[in-house]
Amino acid sequence: MIAILGTGKMGEALLSGLLRAGVEAGEIVATARREERVRWLGERYGVRMVSNAEAARTADTLILAVKPQDMAALLTEIAPHVPSGRLVVSVAAGITTAFVESRLGDEVPVVRVMSNTPVLVDEAMSVISAGAHAGEDHLKQTENLLAPVGKVLRIPESQQDAATALSGSGPAYFFYLVEAMVDAGILLGMPRAAALDMVTQSIVGAAIMLRDSGEHPVILREAVTSPGGTTIAAIAELERHSVRAAFLAAIEAARDRSNRLAAG
């Protein structure tokens, strides 16, 4: 039995992904704070909606998907009902395995996960890290949970805040880039719908090339960048406006924010 505690956007995305992957609705229980949300989720997905305490008592695997600021209260609520050895998977940004372990007990295996919103289309990037009491079996269990909805990568927990900044927030950077490129197309006289189609397909195609070719992005970019051509003129403008430095600073800022969330 799998329990998802806190079925907001990410929790619901994981729920729908598990069901698409073939997990039976009867093998999942979920929790939500608002009564109308409880009813809606139960009707939409056919899963049993229960209290946090019941979820903690009955499930073999607990997925903690509440907001970071709500995690301490949730852990206090469920601590009396979580036996040693029960796998706890935390998907809350900035929350360390030590934070969870200190509230649930020394023998509870905790795996920390940072996933992202493409879980909705089974193309998530999920990075996982083991806590002090999580072993190989617990990591494999977590990988099996997440693999149907995207790629899973193991990293040391010391890199989790960086992963939050890079891949957790990463889709937002791409959407921001798409928005800017579409605006540029409109400035150049293109209809919005046509500009969006062109930019979207260009990014999808480029991403697939990058993933499947095994080439370094510099090599792929240079293949498009002819001497004295249009692309190098555009790249020169991006460099003149320090776009690369802005991305570095932005991702560092996201990492620092993740650090502060962990500190409370």
Side-chain angles (χ1 to χ4, degrees):
M1 179 74 73
I2 300 166
I4 301 175
L5 286 74
T7 319
K9 289 182 179 179
M10 183 55 69
E12 184 185 351
L14 289 170
L15 169 60
S16 63
L18 289 170
L19 292 171
R20 288 195 304 276
V23 178
E24 296 291 334
E27 290 298 310
I28 302 173
V29 296
T31 76
R33 182 182 299 175
R34 302 191 317 274
E35 193 59 40
E36 63 271 22
R37 179 78 173 161
V38 167
R39 288 194 300 270
W40 185 85
L41 287 164
E43 292 170 1
R44 180 179 177 91
Y45 296 106
V47 298
R48 192 161 61 93
M49 303 298 295
V50 298
S51 67
N52 290 326
E54 184 177 351
R57 281 195 303 268
T58 59
D60 304 306
T61 300
L62 306 181
I63 300 175
L64 310 184
V66 297
K67 295 177 181 178
Q69 59 267 33
D70 296 330
M71 184 62 81
L74 174 67
L75 294 173
T76 299
E77 181 182 356
I78 67 173
H81 310 288
V82 180
S84 61
R86 178 152 299 164
L87 175 59
V88 175
V89 178
S90 171
V91 299
I95 300 297
T96 65
T97 56
F99 181 94
V100 178
E101 290 162 353
S102 68
R103 287 155 176 81
L104 293 185
D106 291 337
E107 300 304 319
V108 175
V110 180
V111 176
R112 179 176 173 181
V113 175
M114 173 46 60
S115 195
N116 58 17
T117 54
V119 69
L120 291 166
V121 292
D122 299 337
E123 291 291 350
M125 179 69 250
S126 300
V127 293
I128 68 173
S129 304
H133 310 290
E136 179 66 21
D137 287 347
H138 302 115
L139 286 170
K140 284 184 176 178
Q141 279 182 259
T142 306
E143 286 173 334
N144 290 338
L145 278 175
L146 297 169
V149 294
K151 186 172 183 176
V152 186
L153 181 68
R154 297 185 189 185
I155 63 170
E157 187 168 10
S158 61
Q159 297 176 4
Q160 275 281 353
D161 289 322
T164 298
L166 197 60
S167 64
S169 300
Y173 310 148
F174 281 95
F175 298 144
Y176 185 86
L177 176 62
V178 168
E179 182 183 358
M181 291 176 69
V182 169
D183 284 348
I186 294 168
L187 179 66
L188 299 177
M190 297 293 300
R192 179 177 295 275
L196 180 59
D197 277 348
M198 284 188 282
V199 173
T200 301
Q201 185 56 35
S202 294
I203 286 182
V204 169
I208 292 172
M209 284 182 66
L210 183 61
R211 183 191 66 190
D212 294 350
S213 69
E215 296 281 7
H216 193 281
V218 169
I219 301 299
L220 296 174
R221 179 180 61 77
E222 287 179 346
V224 189
T225 311
S226 304
T230 58
T231 305
I232 192 60
I235 296 294
E237 280 297 301
L238 292 173
E239 294 292 350
R240 186 171 72 84
H241 289 280
S242 301
V243 171
R244 187 188 303 266
F247 265 102
L248 292 173
I251 293 171
E252 279 189 320
R255 186 274 317 272
D256 293 344
R257 176 58 179 161
S258 183
N259 276 325
R260 289 194 295 273
L261 286 172

